[in-house]
Amino acid sequence: MLSALVLCQLVVLSISQKDFNYKLGGDDWPGLCATGNLQSPIDVRFSEPLSSLKAQTCEISSKLKISNPGRLVLNRAGLPQATFQFGSSDKVTVANVGGAIVWLFDDDFSLLNLPIEGGKLDGILQSNNKGLDRISIFMREQIEVVQARFINFHVHSVSEHMFNGFLAPLEGHFVMQIDQADLQSCPEAGCLAVVGVHFQHSIDDTPNQFIQDTLQLIGGKWPDTNGQSIPASGSLNFDQLVPHNPSYMLYSGSLTTPPCTEGVLWHVIQQPMTVSIAQVAELQNAIGFERDGLVRNNRRIQPINNRDMIYHDCI
């Protein structure tokens, strides 16, 4: 069996393989990438446009026994929802792994609480209410909370997921690991959960503060060769990358790079963050894959194959 350390290495290696590229958008990737039925990314169709959602203050849950109740809220139905508060670290290394620019950490500085159901990572997706736009709901009495460790952040451009049929200029992935000790149904190597957030161009081309801070702390230039890494000279606040109490879609998918391992629990955030045109171009140039005349490192959209989804609407 794989160790938790090997799983962490697998996640990084999956986006740093030298034997694949993005020239065909992943259509030529072998194995599970070609044969799997729960592949990512997908076109995420949110149930309501943001403009029709009513603003609501999210209340912290006091009924559940969790290590950090400030990182769990109740959504409109009174059910638990993660808030994705990742925190800050002064032990960050920014690396070019060939397939992406990755933020790596020397310590377990961020532990998040994720609500699950039935003792399984995808248990909340096993709904008795099939149909109705494949949106399923929690069964309150079976809800548990597990701890997830933040292990890396990386970016894809253009976005990998579609958002109501459209690609965004940039998508960031927060990769989290859940240990078997915290969730017995996970293999010895642990389970993976990913938070995906997309970035739109800012109206006045204002730079994204986190990306700007990172660039300053690594000397003003992204690592542009495979294997190059640069330690950040100060602290970075990853909470700058996520909307406050976001709405999100939950579904069971895969890693978006070979070996395309399935069983990954995806949380795709509805509200976008912003980024400048120049920042996107600089990240694309550092990655260097070209397809259809554009520099990009995104896999093509995969079939949903009748998967169930959960929409969390706490805003």
Side-chain angles (χ1 to χ4, degrees):
M1 296 291 290
L2 293 175
S3 68
L5 175 60
V6 172
L7 176 65
C8 182
Q9 292 172 337
L10 173 64
V11 174
V12 177
L13 288 174
S14 71
I15 49 179
S16 62
Q17 294 281 350
K18 296 181 180 179
D19 57 354
F20 80 89
N21 58 55
Y22 289 94
K23 291 182 179 180
L24 296 179
D27 290 349
D28 56 339
W29 297 347
L32 196 59
C33 301
T35 62
N37 292 316
L38 301 174
Q39 291 290 291
S40 298
I42 62 173
D43 183 1
V44 181
R45 299 279 176 163
F46 290 102
S47 59
E48 299 178 85
L50 280 174
S51 59
S52 69
L53 293 176
K54 296 180 180 179
Q56 174 177 320
T57 301
C58 299
E59 298 179 358
I60 295 175
S61 173
S62 59
K63 299 179 181 178
L64 299 173
K65 295 181 179 179
I66 54 179
S67 59
N68 189 345
R71 292 191 177 182
L72 194 77
V73 299
L74 297 180
N75 65 13
R76 294 174 180 223
L79 302 174
Q81 169 167 321
T83 57
F84 311 128
Q85 296 173 356
F86 292 93
S88 301
S89 176
D90 57 1
K91 298 179 180 179
V92 180
T93 296
V94 180
N96 185 319
V97 295
I101 299 296
V102 184
W103 284 251
L104 300 168
F105 326 114
D106 292 336
D107 60 347
D108 295 338
F109 78 93
S110 184
L111 296 171
L112 292 89
N113 295 300
L114 295 181
I116 66 162
E117 182 183 11
K120 297 191 299 183
L121 188 63
D122 64 349
I124 49 180
L125 298 171
Q126 310 305 313
S127 172
N128 293 323
N129 301 321
K130 298 287 183 179
L132 193 62
D133 298 325
R134 293 192 296 274
I135 304 298
S136 54
I137 60 173
F138 278 115
M139 296 174 62
R140 180 188 301 268
E141 65 275 8
Q142 297 183 4
I143 292 172
E144 305 171 51
V145 176
V146 297
Q147 199 168 65
R149 185 170 66 255
F150 182 27
I151 58 176
N152 82 60
F153 173 76
H154 61 271
V155 293
H156 295 267
S157 184
V158 292
S159 69
E160 296 209 292
H161 287 89
M162 277 186 168
F163 300 85
N164 293 329
F166 294 94
L167 291 169
L170 190 73
E171 181 176 349
H173 292 165
F174 298 82
V175 183
M176 299 175 289
Q177 179 178 328
I178 301 169
D179 294 333
Q180 188 183 55
D182 295 314
L183 185 60
Q184 292 184 357
S185 61
C186 288
E188 184 179 344
C191 296
L192 292 176
V194 182
V195 175
V197 59
H198 65 296
F199 296 76
Q200 298 289 353
H201 289 139
S202 52
I203 296 176
D204 56 358
D205 208 32
T206 300
N208 178 277
Q209 189 62 52
F210 177 88
I211 294 176
Q212 183 171 279
D213 290 346
T214 299
L215 198 56
Q216 291 175 348
L217 293 175
I218 62 172
K221 186 176 184 294
W222 296 107
D224 56 7
T225 57
N226 189 357
Q228 182 183 5
S229 63
I230 306 172
S233 61
S235 180
L236 287 168
N237 181 8
F238 289 86
D239 289 339
Q240 293 177 310
L241 292 170
V242 185
H244 180 64
N245 289 338
S247 308
Y248 61 92
M249 192 74 79
L250 192 67
Y251 80 95
S252 183
S254 72
L255 295 177
T256 61
T257 49
C260 303
T261 305
E262 294 184 343
V264 177
L265 189 63
W266 277 91
H267 308 69
V268 183
I269 291 178
Q270 182 174 13
Q271 295 90 340
M273 300 298 287
T274 59
V275 65
S276 72
I277 294 174
Q279 286 178 322
V280 173
E282 290 171 352
L283 286 166
Q284 288 177 331
N285 290 336
I287 297 164
F289 286 102
E290 185 171 333
R291 183 171 88 244
D292 302 328
L294 298 173
V295 178
R296 55 179 65 192
N297 68 330
N298 67 315
R299 187 187 188 191
R300 293 193 200 278
I301 296 298
Q302 303 298 303
I304 293 179
N305 291 331
N306 203 36
R307 277 176 271 185
D308 282 329
M309 299 181 187
I310 296 176
Y311 178 65
H312 291 262
D313 63 351
C314 182
I315 61 173

